[in-house]
Amino acid sequence: MRTSCFLLTVLLGLLYREAAAQYTTDKIVGQKEKNVTLADSLKHVTYPYLLPIWGQKVINKGFDLPFPMGLSVQYVWQESDILINNLQVGFNNGPKRNCDDLIRFDKATATTNGVNLRPDFWIFPFLNVYGILARSNNSTTVHCGLWVPDSSNSWKKITDINTKADFDATTIGFGLTPTFGIGGFFVAIDMNWSWSDIEQLDKPAYIFILGPRIGKNFKFKGEQSLAIWTGGFRVHMNSGTNGSLPLSDLFSTNEWMQRIDSGYIKVANSQQQVNAWWNGLSPRDQQNPVNKAKYATANAALDKAGQLLNGASEAAGTLGNSSVQYSLDKRPKDKWNFLIGAQYQINKHFMIRAEYGFLSSRKQFIGGLQYRFGF
C-alpha cells in the first residue's frame, strides 16, 4: 500500500513547453557604407505582405523585417525538482484519506523529452504570436518514506520508497512575445500558456511560462546573422492534481499482498511501543495534558495508517478490477532559473536556434529549426 501511494504521485511531471519568438526585427544602424545603403533602400521599398500591421511604415523608417509567418520544429528536454504535499488516497472510488503526515517526500524530480511544432506570425512589428502543439515522453522519480510515531511520540521513518513512473502527454497552447530595441540591443518578454493532456489525470495540467530576455543581433555577409541572448525563465503551474490508476498497473497480486502484510506488521509494532509507553506511566502522568496529547496524536496517526491498509487489503481481493484515486498539491522547487541562447540565421527563410537553462533545481535545453515565409 505504501508504495502505491507514492507511485500515484509520480504522474505529476512538469511539462516544459517553452517556445520563444523570432528575434530579427532590426533597425539598420551604423555609418558603414553597406548599412547606410540598406537603410536608405528600405525607405523606398513597397512592403508586399499583409502582416505585420504597419509593416510598410516600419520598413520606411529603416527596419529590416523578417518574413511575417513561420513554422518551427523544436526538441525540448527539461529536468526539474518539484515539491509535493497534501497527498490524499482512496480505493475503488471510496473516501480519500489525507496521508500528508504519514508519507513524506525527500525528493521528486520530473523529466520531459519531447518535440513541439510552433506556427507563428508577427501581428505587429513588435509582437509575435504563436501556437504550440507538442508530444512528450515524461517520467517522475520519487524518493520518500513512510513515517509513524514511536513511544516517545517522535516520528520515525519505517521504510524508504524509491519509485519511477513513465507517461506520455499531448500539449496544446499559445504564446505572445513583445519585442523592442534599446541601445543596439533587443528585449523580448516571452509568455505562453499550455494545457497538457495526461491519461492518468482527471483534467489537463496547466502551465504558464514567463521568459524575459535581452540580447544582440550580429549581422554577417548576405542575409546571415547571429542573435545571442540571456535572461530568466519562470514557471507557474496549477497546484492541484487529481487522478486514478488501476491497481493492476502498479503491482501483481502477490506483490500487493506482501506489501500490505509488511505494512500491518510495522504499524502493529509501533502501536505496541506506544501502548507500552502509555501503560508504563503512572496514573498521575497519564493525566498530564502533554502526555495525553502525545498519546492521542500517536493513536490518531496509527489509526489512519491502519485504515489505509484496510482499504488496500479490501482492494487486493479484486485487484484486476480495483483502482486507486489520489489528489495532491505540487509546485516547482524553484520558480526561476537563468538561461542563455542563440539563433543563427542562414538566410531569411531558415534559422537554427538553441537555448539552455540552469543555475537552479531546474535545467532545460531547447533546439530547433525554423522556416519563415511571406503572407
Side-chain angles (χ1 to χ4, degrees):
M1 184 282 302
R2 293 187 297 271
T3 303
S4 67
C5 293
F6 295 102
L7 281 171
L8 298 176
T9 68
V10 299
L11 302 172
L12 309 168
L14 284 174
L15 305 178
Y16 171 52
R17 300 288 175 273
E18 200 272 335
Q22 163 79 13
Y23 304 138
T24 53
T25 303
D26 298 318
K27 180 70 178 292
I28 306 303
V29 296
Q31 298 302 315
K32 293 183 178 180
E33 181 179 351
K34 65 177 182 179
N35 289 340
V36 174
T37 301
L38 177 57
D40 185 63
S41 65
L42 288 172
K43 296 178 181 179
H44 306 287
V45 169
T46 299
Y47 190 66
Y49 306 118
L50 295 178
L51 293 175
I53 299 171
W54 304 329
Q56 183 67 58
K57 294 181 178 180
V58 168
I59 65 167
N60 288 345
K61 291 183 179 293
F63 285 88
D64 184 19
L65 295 179
F67 287 115
M69 306 291 292
L71 184 65
S72 61
V73 178
Q74 301 176 109
Y75 166 76
V76 175
W77 171 85
Q78 177 263 336
E79 184 178 89
S80 176
D81 290 347
I82 56 177
L83 302 179
I84 300 172
N85 54 34
N86 195 26
L87 173 63
Q88 300 188 49
V89 176
F91 298 92
N92 294 336
N93 296 306
K96 288 186 286 191
R97 299 178 177 87
N98 189 290
C99 305
D100 221 22
D101 50 351
L102 301 177
I103 300 174
R104 303 183 184 183
F105 297 90
D106 300 321
K107 185 176 182 180
T109 303
T111 303
T112 293
N113 285 280
V115 176
N116 68 52
L117 182 67
R118 179 179 69 89
D120 77 277
F121 60 92
W122 287 94
I123 187 170
F124 293 105
F126 53 84
L127 180 63
N128 185 268
V129 179
Y130 58 88
I132 303 170
L133 177 62
R135 183 68 178 171
S136 61
N137 303 116
N138 310 275
S139 66
T140 305
T141 57
V142 174
H143 304 278
C144 45
L146 179 66
W147 294 70
V148 295
D150 59 17
S151 57
S152 63
N153 204 46
S154 298
W155 290 75
K156 64 178 181 180
K157 184 191 293 185
I158 63 174
T159 186
D160 285 301
I161 303 295
N162 299 320
T163 188
K164 178 182 179 180
D166 300 303
F167 53 97
D168 297 326
T170 301
T171 300
I172 60 172
F174 68 95
L176 307 172
T177 306
T179 306
F180 59 92
I182 179 171
F185 293 84
F186 65 79
V187 176
I189 305 175
D190 189 49
M191 300 169 282
N192 66 65
W193 298 259
S194 65
W195 293 263
S196 297
D197 182 34
I198 303 171
E199 182 180 357
Q200 293 85 349
L201 299 184
D202 289 350
K203 60 181 180 180
Y206 164 74
I207 295 178
F208 169 70
I209 291 175
L210 173 65
R213 297 165 175 82
I214 183 170
K216 187 171 180 60
N217 200 25
F218 298 93
K219 286 284 191 179
F220 302 134
K221 64 179 181 179
E223 296 178 339
Q224 297 179 23
S225 65
L226 176 66
I228 59 173
W229 61 84
T230 185
F233 184 87
R234 185 183 188 277
V235 173
H236 171 76
M237 60 190 301
N238 56 332
S239 61
T241 298
N242 296 274
S244 179
L245 282 174
L247 287 179
S248 57
D249 287 356
L250 301 176
F251 301 106
S252 66
T253 302
N254 290 336
E255 184 181 6
W256 183 247
M257 292 305 302
Q258 289 173 2
R259 293 180 181 277
I260 292 173
D261 292 341
S262 176
Y264 273 128
I265 292 171
K266 292 180 178 180
V267 170
N269 288 339
S270 295
Q271 185 67 68
Q272 289 176 1
Q273 294 178 25
V274 171
N275 291 338
W277 164 75
W278 178 256
N279 293 330
L281 297 176
S282 66
R284 180 177 179 179
D285 287 337
Q286 288 183 352
Q287 295 303 313
N288 186 312
V290 174
N291 290 332
K292 292 174 69 175
K294 288 182 178 181
Y295 187 54
T297 300
N299 281 328
L302 292 168
D303 181 64
K304 183 188 296 184
Q307 291 178 13
L308 284 172
L309 287 169
N310 290 338
S313 180
E314 292 174 2
T318 56
L319 186 62
N321 299 317
S322 296
S323 60
V324 180
Q325 287 71 47
Y326 63 94
S327 65
L328 49 84
D329 294 332
K330 84 281 186 189
R331 59 183 175 86
K333 182 178 179 180
D334 296 299
K335 291 184 177 181
W336 285 92
N337 65 295
F338 181 76
L339 59 82
I340 56 174
Q343 176 173 278
Y344 177 67
Q345 177 175 293
I346 302 171
N347 53 50
K348 295 195 71 172
H349 286 289
F350 290 99
M351 298 90 180
I352 301 172
R353 70 182 298 267
E355 188 173 81
Y356 183 67
F358 56 103
L359 291 184
S360 77
S361 63
R362 179 173 56 253
K363 300 183 290 292
Q364 75 255 11
F365 170 79
I366 180 171
L369 174 67
Q370 180 176 176
Y371 174 73
R372 304 205 66 80
F373 54 95
F375 173 75

